Amino acid sequence: MRAVQEFQVFIILTPRGKLGKQTSCFSRCKCCVIYSTFYGIKAYKCLNNDCDIPDYLLVLLTYKSIYCLMYIVYKLLCYSFKKRIGVCCVKKVLLPMMLLLVVVFMSACGQEKTTGTGSDATSSSGSSPAEKEVIVLGTSADYAPYEFHKKIDGKDTIVGFDIEIAKAIAADLGAELKIEDMDFDGLLMALGTDKVDFVISGLTPTEERKKNVDFTDIYYYAEQAVLVRDGEGTALKSVNDLSGKQVGVQKSSIQEGIAQEIEGAKLTSLAKIPELILELQTGRVDALILEKPVAEQYVKNQEGLVVAGVEIEQAEDEGGSAIAVKKGNQKLLDQINTTLKKLKTNGDIERFVVEANEMLGE
């Protein structure tokens, strides 16, 4: 989890108007811009409130800025007073003073870091509450009723029963939920690189995925279905009837693995479900393999589509959805499992599923 970071403004001072190497972190941030330049003084500001420049780089930047400022002050004072007190005297008097100022400043930075607004920072007194943490959810919001986009009060909003589960997790952690919407095949990579804290996206805990991430208990079971154009469903009696046909699946999904095991099937793997629906409607693929609740929603909301009477057998542990966390994050895993147990006991997950389907019909 990350703490909410304050809006940052960095002032970089360099002699002769050159920009030093200490500003290299801005290329990592991708959101910092020059907003003023004045005689070699370049002012930068970060346009992203969630900029994750490491603390040590912030300290380094500040240190370099002060160092360059001292350099400028030193040159100016040398120029102004060298005729009166001599260059050697200036060096003996001014340099120790400037070094002392740098030491005092760095000590202040260390104290600020101890009591500041980092994700592990806590209040130094009872009257100043700790800053609320942010927990970042990774999802692919194209998989109704799990997660999908909907206009609410004129604003595009990500909703679905997975999102309601994520909200409950954040509430139990006392954290603010931030949602990162991305392609399904990039979710686990984002988790491994700390761009997100956990992933909920109708994710099946396969053995291959378990090598790279940790999974919670399964919170929802769903059957697989074959979606075809109206009038073509009766020709399919079993999954083997898809042999020789162009089958659409979501990239890196459990359905892609199912399709790869169908002898003679030709695969079209795309990142987004709506793209696959378009491929089916325009005849570029013959069938799609989707989770049954998702397929049923497209039949309900899109004309000319039907669910074929094909049963796809799966082991119980391959048909459920679980939440992924970074490998080794046992604390977060246990906290999420506690929330899931409570939601299942209270019947909240079933209620979330019903509400998500009702929202789709509105």
Side-chain angles (χ1 to χ4, degrees), residues 229 246-247 268 275 278-287:
R229 291 179 291 273
Q246 197 75 34
V247 180
T268 296
E275 296 173 356
L278 183 61
E279 293 287 294
L280 180 61
Q281 291 173 327
T282 54
R284 288 193 283 269
V285 299
D286 301 307

Side-chain angles (χ1 to χ4, degrees), residues 138-140 180 182-192 196 199 201:
T139 192
S140 181
E180 290 288 349
M182 59 188 72
D183 287 350
F184 183 82
D185 58 344
L187 287 171
L188 298 188
M189 184 181 296
L191 187 61
V196 300
V199 170
S201 198

Side-chain angles (χ1 to χ4, degrees), residues 84-150:
R84 296 184 182 181
I85 60 176
V87 175
C88 292
C89 184
V90 169
K91 290 182 178 179
K92 289 180 180 179
V93 176
L94 291 179
L95 281 178
M97 290 177 63
M98 287 186 286
L99 289 174
L100 179 62
L101 181 58
V102 170
V103 171
V104 171
F105 175 80
M106 292 301 293
S107 299
C109 285
Q111 184 178 6
E112 181 181 357
K113 187 174 180 179
T114 303
T115 59
T117 58
S119 59
D120 297 327
T122 57
S123 171
S124 59
S125 66
S127 59
S128 300
E131 188 176 276
K132 191 173 185 180
E133 291 183 328
V134 172
I135 187 165
V136 183
L137 165 67
T139 192
S140 181
D142 61 346
Y143 207 60
Y146 290 78
E147 48 274 320
F148 55 99
H149 288 265
K150 186 175 179 63

